[in-house]
Amino acid sequence: MFYECIECGSRFDISMSLYTCPDCDSLLEIELDLESVKEKIDRREFERECVTTWKYRPFLPVREDSKIVSLHEGGTPLYSCDVLAEEIGVDELYVKFEGGNPTGSFKDRGMTVGVTKALEYGADVVACASTGNTSSSLAAYSAKAGLDCVVLTPKGKVALGKMAQAALHGAKIIAIEDNFDKALKLVRRLCNERDEIYLLNSVNPFRPQGQKTIGFEISDQLGFDSPDRVVVPMGNCANIWAIYKGFYEFRETGIVDEIPKMTGIQAEGASPVVNAVKDGADRVVPVENPETLATAIRIGDPVNGPKALLAIRRTEGTAESVTDEEIVKAQKMLARLEGIGVEPASAASIAGLKKLVDMGEIDRSERVASVVTGHLLKDPEEAVDVSEPPVEITAKYDEIISELGL
Ligand SMILES: *Cc1c(COP(=O)(O)O)cnc(C)c1O
Ligand SMILES: [Zn+2]
């Protein structure tokens, strides 16, 4: 097991804490010895065991089981959504509901591994910049681990549910008068200059290692098979890479035959990766002043842009952007046709799927899995804003009857 730079290919020993390549400052990836992972898996037992993040222990780069910090993340439902499939125009549609995690987003899968590594590397404090969910999750996992937690957020831009979580779990919350991209630059500097503070943004290569279990679980829940395509919302772009990596490792160990076409969706006001994919560009050009009501993907300068491009291009996937209006429409459709409540960023994957089907980019016969990343209650104010207000009456029975048109 070692770090490998995705640009220059240099390798580094995993016993030291690194965030980016010491030679060229590019992104690092964790590579496992997949032959030895394969030997550790008893296929019959593997098929019987129920899905959870730590079921895939041989694939997860932590040293000692006794140090693992877990709140029983993962094992989220993969709903088969026939009514929504019909509405969108595909034959087979599955929705992976990541709102079912302990703090209500997929970030918990990354934090179980990331906070465990913080303990292994002897950190006293963990830190992140966050649009909300990363801070909710880090606050909870650091509380469980007995570590102090610092979070930098864009002032006034964090959804209520996320703020409530970070606050109650006891994080030191610093709200800056700027956006997420600036918060990330500041926290990266803090962690580079202070060895005792461990950085847990998704530039940290261990977080995607936990998040790759989304790919493992989708395959597992389909009977160790791959869908044709996986659709994911993209913000900082660690997750699309992580899910790709999960399928890649399952293929390399002979568990599945194919890697799905990775398809990333961004909001129109924050779509630098979509622009790069459409232009066939090698680099992601940041968007200034990103804007969207989907705050979890309101990111103009995604650190993991290069990894997203690799995941999309290696699998012949694609990327598309959607408007806030399309996001809200998809959020309601999912809530009202399937009973699945998600925050706006999550609904981007459904909106993007619909758009790509309408454009003829995705064929009706494809078997599609859409990842919905966070719970409806993360952003309750948005949910109330976009829904019909309650009907107010005096407390009379007759008024109820007339209101119901009976
Ligand atoms: C973090 C997050 C995203 C974006 O994931 P990236 O890995 O940054 O691309 C999307 N939706 C929700 C709900 C999130 O919390
Ligand atoms: Zn390098």
Side-chain angles (χ1 to χ4, degrees):
M1 198 186 329
F2 46 84
Y3 297 102
E4 189 176 277
C5 173
I6 69 162
E7 282 295 330
C8 74
S10 298
R11 292 179 173 185
F12 306 93
D13 195 313
I14 210 116
S15 62
M16 55 185 162
S17 162
L18 292 177
Y19 306 124
T20 55
C21 177
D23 292 347
C24 76
D25 204 32
S26 298
L27 297 169
L28 292 173
E29 180 52 13
I30 310 292
E31 299 295 345
L32 310 176
D33 174 0
L34 290 172
E35 276 310 310
S36 83
V37 169
K38 197 171 169 181
E39 280 164 22
K40 287 189 193 126
I41 294 170
D42 173 347
R43 237 349 243 280
R44 282 193 38 210
E45 191 160 322
F46 201 62
E47 283 172 21
R48 258 199 318 266
E49 232 182 299
C50 61
V51 291
T52 70
T53 296
W54 289 96
K55 164 178 180 175
Y56 312 102
R57 173 72 181 89
F59 290 91
L60 298 176
V62 306
R63 259 186 280 145
E64 280 172 57
D65 285 10
S66 65
K67 284 230 168 86
I68 292 172
V69 182
S70 173
L71 292 169
H72 295 241
E73 51 292 320
T76 58
L78 183 71
Y79 295 117
S80 174
C81 293
D82 295 343
V83 180
L84 187 64
E86 182 61 40
E87 182 69 29
I88 287 177
V90 286
D91 290 338
E92 211 177 337
L93 173 60
Y94 298 90
V95 170
K96 183 72 170 154
F97 180 56
E98 288 296 291
N101 278 295
T103 76
S105 84
F106 72 84
K107 299 295 196 297
D108 295 346
R109 298 177 186 268
M111 289 307 175
T112 185
V113 173
V115 173
T116 300
K117 295 311 282 187
L119 290 182
E120 283 186 5
Y121 291 131
D124 302 320
V125 184
V126 287
C128 68
S130 179
T131 63
N133 283 331
T134 298
S135 69
S136 305
S137 187
L138 186 58
Y141 281 79
S142 59
K144 175 86 178 174
L147 294 170
D148 286 337
C149 175
V150 178
V151 310
L152 266 67
T153 61
K155 188 176 150 195
K157 296 290 184 186
V158 178
L160 189 63
K162 306 176 188 186
M163 192 57 107
Q165 289 176 297
L168 195 68
H169 290 300
K172 168 94 181 166
I173 304 170
I174 301 174
I176 67 160
E177 260 172 62
D178 207 318
N179 61 21
F180 169 84
D181 300 307
K182 184 65 196 276
L184 182 56
K185 286 201 179 84
L186 290 170
V187 80
R188 286 181 76 170
R189 175 169 172 200
L190 176 71
C191 295
N192 281 331
E193 292 185 7
R194 300 278 170 164
D195 280 346
E196 69 276 24
I197 311 180
Y198 190 64
L199 178 68
L200 274 168
N201 273 100
S202 58
V203 66
N204 180 313
F206 290 104
R207 270 189 45 200
Q209 288 292 305
Q211 290 168 205
K212 74 189 177 185
T213 58
I214 297 174
F216 295 162
E217 288 188 9
I218 291 172
S219 138
D220 199 328
Q221 288 165 315
L222 293 174
F224 296 99
D225 201 357
S226 295
D228 298 314
R229 186 181 297 270
V230 173
V231 187
V232 203
M234 295 188 294
N236 239 334
C237 298
N239 211 29
I240 190 167
W241 168 258
I243 298 170
Y244 158 75
K245 201 66 196 284
F247 282 103
Y248 168 83
E249 290 183 352
F250 260 21
R251 189 192 62 184
E252 295 303 296
T253 48
I255 296 171
V256 300
D257 296 330
E258 309 270 355
I259 304 177
K261 292 184 164 76
M262 298 306 302
T263 301
I265 312 297
Q266 293 190 301
E268 214 171 67
S271 56
V273 178
V274 176
N275 297 341
V277 170
K278 291 196 172 176
D279 296 346
D282 291 340
R283 304 260 155 214
V284 174
V285 180
V287 167
E288 298 281 329
N289 306 317
E291 207 38 87
T292 166
L293 101 168
T295 50
I297 53 172
R298 190 170 175 273
I299 292 170
D301 187 8
V303 270
N304 295 294
K307 285 184 170 176
L309 292 181
L310 286 177
I312 291 167
R313 289 186 175 141
R314 284 182 187 165
T315 61
E316 295 174 358
T318 188
E320 191 50 75
S321 64
V322 290
T323 63
D324 283 359
E325 200 184 337
E326 289 167 321
I327 289 174
V328 171
K329 222 172 138 197
Q331 185 190 27
K332 287 185 170 174
M333 212 157 65
L334 192 57
R336 294 173 186 193
L337 297 179
E338 297 287 352
I340 302 171
V342 303
E343 65 167 287
S346 315
S349 73
I350 302 294
L353 170 63
K354 175 151 180 33
K355 193 163 186 173
L356 289 165
V357 171
D358 289 347
M359 289 161 62
E361 293 274 331
I362 295 180
D363 194 73
R364 177 167 194 109
S365 65
E366 281 188 37
R367 188 189 208 196
V368 180
S370 190
V371 180
V372 295
T373 43
H375 200 283
L376 155 68
L377 292 176
K378 289 288 193 171
D379 195 350
E381 290 171 313
E382 181 271 350
V384 170
D385 280 350
V386 302
S387 304
E388 300 72 18
V391 178
E392 292 178 1
I393 60 164
T394 59
K396 292 212 182 70
Y397 181 79
D398 288 351
E399 278 186 60
I400 297 173
I401 294 298
S402 88
E403 198 48 60
L404 294 175
L406 299 174

